[in-house]
Amino acid sequence: MEKTRYKLNKELAQMLKGGVIMDVTTPEQAKIAEAAGACAVMALERIPADIRAAGGVSRMSDPQMIRGIQEAVSIPVMAKCRIGHFVEAQILEAIEIDYIDESEVLSPADDVYHIDKTKFKVPFVCGARDLGEALRRIAEGASMIRTKGEPGTGDIIQAVRHMRAMNAEIRRVQNLREDELFEAAKQLQVPLNLLRSVHENGRLPVVNFAAGGVATPADAALMMQLGAEGVFVGSGIFKSGDPAKRAAAIVQAVTNYTDAKRIAELSSGLGEAMVGINENEIALLMAERGK
Amino acid sequence: MRIGILALQGAFAEHAAVLDRLGTEHFLIRQLRDIKLPFDSLILPGGESTTMGKLLRDLELFTPLAGMIREGLPVFGTCAGLILLAQEVEGGAPCFGTMGITARRNAYGRQLGSFYTEATFRGLGRVPMTFIRAPYIQAVSPGVEILAEVDGHIVAARQGSQLVTAFHPELTDDLPFTDTSCR
């Protein structure tokens, strides 16, 4: 991938900052999300909670369904492909998706290799649980990172754990002596040049969102206060009682994430939140996929 | 000189970083109480115009800011900011609608259509221009000065104290450009 293209792809993620990216399964949901203030939508056939409930192999969505969503909204449209499934990624590039999520939510297609994302013109976002995973995905060509969290659970604990782990490691790397970076790169199993960038700038070289388990305005604000630059909400919106109202409330909570009074108002009378499953009640940990 | 940057969503931090390097005093506007103190000009950053339009209304910022712009508060809109100021938006509803331009959203298509180029900007010579899912200006009313064109499409314009670019000078660290725009 040419250098300019990669920069443009990182810059699209910069334009999404401070925003909420919502999972949608139909053009109607996409319109609700856009009207509620989503800065992008993720088009998929089943939201993570339903994938979890249905079991079986979960794949890239039908391109026709994705096209329907692309035609319904003016905001960027993202879609997921399986980890390592570079042909699904080629298909998504062919239909001019704005961002591909190489996602652990779907069944992995390869248990060793991720997609060589440098071979694509279209941008990729990938999940990560810690700094090592994040920098490995960036080395493969990802131009945006998100925490893995635990999708489809409505349980925020994993997203919190991943964001804290990543930022704690970034602070540690920042404080290393320069001659200690070689050993740190070896231990983290990441390229030295990316680790140097973290050391110098105190942040990932790409935008970092929170994802996986966000169900309430308070969850979204929590992730923002922990250092997320924006939030993905998957099952949390369209599995709740009043999706339009909840979506708009989460969007506002992300903009004013330190204003507790406002978040109190936003959290009032939202109707039922998604039921949710605790992390210790689930059989399948999606975050364990693709390291 | 005190500049307010609309910080509801998008690339507001990038504008703040450029102003930091220029040593220009600035602050972020996230809600009504942020604009209680007077300020000299306003930046509307890149991001998603539909998101910002919705939040402007939800946060009750729309009416006061629209009033200030109409009364002559200098304003600089980049990308989504251009769309917020446009009197007409193709296939969408205008937001502030204070500038006599017609904006075409996503005029270059999806992300694969995003590009970088250099082109002539009136009074500044050749400047770097980054277009991210950018709009362009389809038509201008009399009294709007065209400042830059790329491939026959208008990508920068000025009307009175309103300045817009379809591209992102804040992404290219083009300090002279921003410095001139501020003034």
Side-chain angles (χ1 to χ4, degrees):
Chain A
M1 181 172 35
E2 43 167 340
K3 213 173 165 191
T4 315
R5 182 54 53 190
Y6 183 60
K7 190 161 182 287
L8 289 166
N9 287 342
K10 287 205 292 187
E11 286 165 344
L12 174 57
Q14 284 175 262
M15 295 303 142
L16 299 174
K17 281 189 304 181
V20 181
I21 299 168
M22 302 181 192
D23 279 4
V24 296
T25 58
T26 62
E28 292 69 39
Q29 287 186 355
K31 282 184 184 152
I32 292 172
E34 184 179 48
C39 69
V41 290
M42 176 78 69
L44 71 176
E45 261 158 13
R46 283 181 301 188
I47 55 176
D50 291 337
I51 291 174
R52 194 174 278 291
V57 176
S58 179
R59 311 178 179 89
M60 179 191 76
S61 298
D62 182 340
Q64 191 186 335
M65 170 266 170
I66 298 171
R67 278 211 193 93
I69 288 172
Q70 285 176 314
E71 281 158 20
V73 294
S74 71
I75 54 179
V77 177
M78 305 183 164
K80 292 181 192 292
C81 72
R82 286 180 265 177
I83 289 175
H85 205 316
F86 50 85
V87 174
E88 285 187 349
Q90 289 163 4
I91 292 168
L92 292 174
E93 181 169 71
I95 62 167
E96 298 197 17
I97 202 77
D98 291 302
Y99 241 100
I100 297 176
D101 185 357
E102 186 185 15
S103 178
E104 68 282 0
V105 170
L106 305 182
S107 307
D110 193 318
D111 56 3
V112 180
Y113 300 105
H114 277 73
I115 295 171
D116 177 1
K117 294 165 276 287
T118 65
K119 295 289 185 286
F120 289 78
K121 283 185 173 163
V122 85
F124 280 81
V125 55
C126 286
R129 296 176 306 171
D130 51 40
L131 182 61
E133 283 188 12
L135 294 182
R136 282 194 291 279
R137 298 296 86 78
I138 294 166
E140 293 157 3
S143 46
M144 180 179 183
I145 291 292
R146 54 171 176 76
T147 60
K148 285 179 170 170
E150 193 51 32
T153 61
D155 188 358
I156 198 69
I157 185 169
Q158 299 242 13
V160 167
R161 191 182 291 152
H162 300 161
M163 188 59 74
R164 278 191 183 276
M166 214 179 290
N167 288 333
E169 283 175 304
I170 288 173
R171 287 191 298 273
R172 185 181 73 82
V173 168
Q174 234 186 325
N175 289 319
L176 291 177
R177 283 165 50 102
E178 265 176 48
D179 61 4
E180 292 167 343
L181 291 175
F182 304 95
E183 175 62 17
K186 193 172 85 185
Q187 281 177 9
L188 286 167
Q189 302 178 48
V190 299
L192 182 61
N193 64 328
L194 290 178
L195 199 67
R196 278 215 174 102
S197 156
V198 171
H199 175 68
E200 278 161 28
N201 302 306
R203 52 159 299 139
L204 290 182
V206 302
V207 165
N208 186 18
F209 269 47
V214 177
T216 66
D219 289 345
L222 173 68
M223 296 313 300
M224 293 298 287
Q225 289 197 29
L226 284 172
E229 297 183 278
V231 174
F232 284 85
V233 187
S235 319
I237 289 172
F238 289 100
K239 274 282 156 191
S240 73
D242 187 344
K245 194 172 177 192
R246 182 169 295 266
I250 292 176
V251 168
Q252 273 205 54
V254 166
T255 296
N256 283 291
Y257 61 91
T258 57
D259 184 346
K261 236 182 201 164
R262 185 178 297 272
I263 298 168
E265 275 168 40
L266 293 169
S267 308
S268 306
L270 280 186
E272 210 147 322
M274 70 177 289
V275 177
I277 332 166
N278 292 308
E279 64 159 358
N280 49 7
E281 294 169 347
I282 54 180
L284 173 68
L285 269 179
M286 291 174 174
E288 292 297 317
R289 292 166 164 175
K291 296 167 185 173
Chain B
M1 177 75 128
R2 189 162 174 270
I3 299 180
I5 306 172
L6 190 69
L8 303 181
Q9 189 271 325
F12 49 86
E14 286 75 359
H15 278 285
V18 174
L19 294 180
D20 275 338
R21 292 179 54 192
L22 288 167
T24 306
E25 191 189 344
H26 57 84
F27 66 101
L28 299 179
I29 302 171
R30 292 180 189 274
Q31 52 177 286
L32 197 52
R33 69 174 182 217
D34 297 331
I35 54 170
K36 288 287 184 254
L37 290 173
F39 56 103
D40 305 300
S41 59
L42 174 66
I43 292 176
L44 306 174
E48 284 306 315
S49 58
T50 51
T51 305
M52 288 187 230
K54 165 88 162 81
L55 284 167
L56 278 167
R57 287 189 170 82
D58 285 354
L59 295 161
E60 293 164 351
L61 282 164
F62 177 78
T63 309
L65 287 179
M68 290 179 202
I69 296 168
R70 254 185 248 113
E71 282 161 25
L73 175 74
V75 57
F76 175 28
T78 60
C79 195
L82 177 154
I83 297 168
L84 294 180
L85 290 170
Q87 216 156 54
E88 281 183 57
V89 179
E90 274 192 4
C95 183
F96 291 126
T98 48
M99 190 169 173
I101 55 173
T102 302
R104 174 175 234 182
R105 286 186 296 178
N106 303 335
Y108 299 94
R110 303 184 184 284
Q111 173 61 6
L112 286 172
S114 294
F115 65 103
Y116 171 85
T117 189
E118 285 173 17
T120 308
F121 193 99
R122 183 175 291 183
L124 287 171
R126 283 183 86 73
V127 302
M129 299 181 181
T130 297
F131 293 84
I132 307 286
R133 280 177 49 97
Y136 60 61
I137 299 171
Q138 182 83 0
V140 297
S141 306
V144 175
E145 185 190 359
I146 295 167
L147 298 175
E149 291 182 66
V150 170
D151 299 333
H153 299 299
I154 306 165
V155 296
R158 183 204 305 268
Q159 182 179 28
S161 54
Q162 302 181 70
L163 170 69
V164 292
T165 63
F167 55 92
H168 294 278
E170 76 282 9
L171 291 177
T172 44
D173 275 345
D174 190 3
L175 295 182
F177 184 91
T178 313
D179 199 24
T180 310
S181 319
C182 291
R183 281 187 265 113

